[in-house]
Amino acid sequence: MPPTRTLCLDGLLNATVFRHDGATYALGRVRERGPLAVCTIEPTVAHVAYIEQLEGHAFEDPRYLGVHDGCLAFVCADGVEYFTQYGDHSIYQAVLYIDPATWTLRDSWRLQGEDIGRYEKNWVPIGEVTADGTSTLLYSHQSLRRLTVDHGARTLAWVADSGVALDDRAVTDVRGGTPLVAHPDGGWWGLAHKVDMHDTCQHPILNYVIGRYRTTYHHYTHAFASVDTEHVCSPCTAPMASIEYPCGLVVLDDGEAVVSTGLQDVSTVFVWTSRDHWATPD
């Protein structure tokens, strides 16, 4: 089933989507290392607020976690080391708490990963913040490592039985992704991307050689013990795009899904369609 609606916001990078107070919102970073920006995308498209970056941080690529202590919580990348070429040039993760009454950043804290080589850039929320104030994150689609974040205690713990080695994966070299949401048949589903180094091109902004970013669909069993379905999707934005970067997913009350995808590192495209659109292979 084709999309029922699409929307492109130029200059808003890799925005996520979330529901608040009866409306659908987007949160992303403004181009050229700018502030975070909040807007509504339905029922109307309208700017809401800019949220300035904290000194010593470069927040981007947010994913919605849910509500904690009256704030909207997001996990995001903090790329200050990367952008300033200081330290190990890695991009780390942080949790942000945004007050929706004033659209200001109330608090933030940086997450500590494992010393296991290349630091994973985007950790994926699994569901939303629970009643006891915790979130579960997927460290990477490839390793299936998971961790639990305690928002009140500001601690994280790696799930002991995570990181199950799965042979014969249908899709490999998967990075980042949208939040994972409940699948109607059980388990979790969401989108991510793989970088196809067999199909190289110039980065649309920075001009170095990259592999083409392809959107991928994943349906995991509830405990991540196995993969129910996964495949590479047809381009959801522009067929010739070199970068498609899925980063937001909400399911509306009528069952329609809203997916946000970063496009070419310059904008975000929002797609309204059924889950079956993504679940159908090329």
Side-chain angles (χ1 to χ4, degrees), residues 216-282:
T216 58
Y217 170 88
H218 305 270
H219 175 200
Y220 298 109
T221 56
H222 187 74
F224 290 82
S226 64
V227 178
D228 187 284
T229 306
E230 60 183 357
H231 55 255
V232 176
C233 302
S234 298
C236 72
T237 53
M240 298 306 294
S242 54
I243 297 178
E244 276 196 352
Y245 189 83
C247 40
L249 167 62
V250 293
V251 178
L252 305 178
D253 292 340
D254 61 2
E256 190 171 45
V258 183
V259 170
S260 60
T261 297
L263 179 65
Q264 300 293 81
D265 270 355
V266 296
S267 59
T268 300
V269 173
F270 303 88
V271 179
W272 283 256
T273 188
S274 69
R275 181 192 58 80
D276 291 342
H277 173 80
W278 306 105
T280 303
D282 288 352

Side-chain angles (χ1 to χ4, degrees), residues 176-187:
T178 69
L180 295 173
V181 300
H183 191 285
D185 296 331

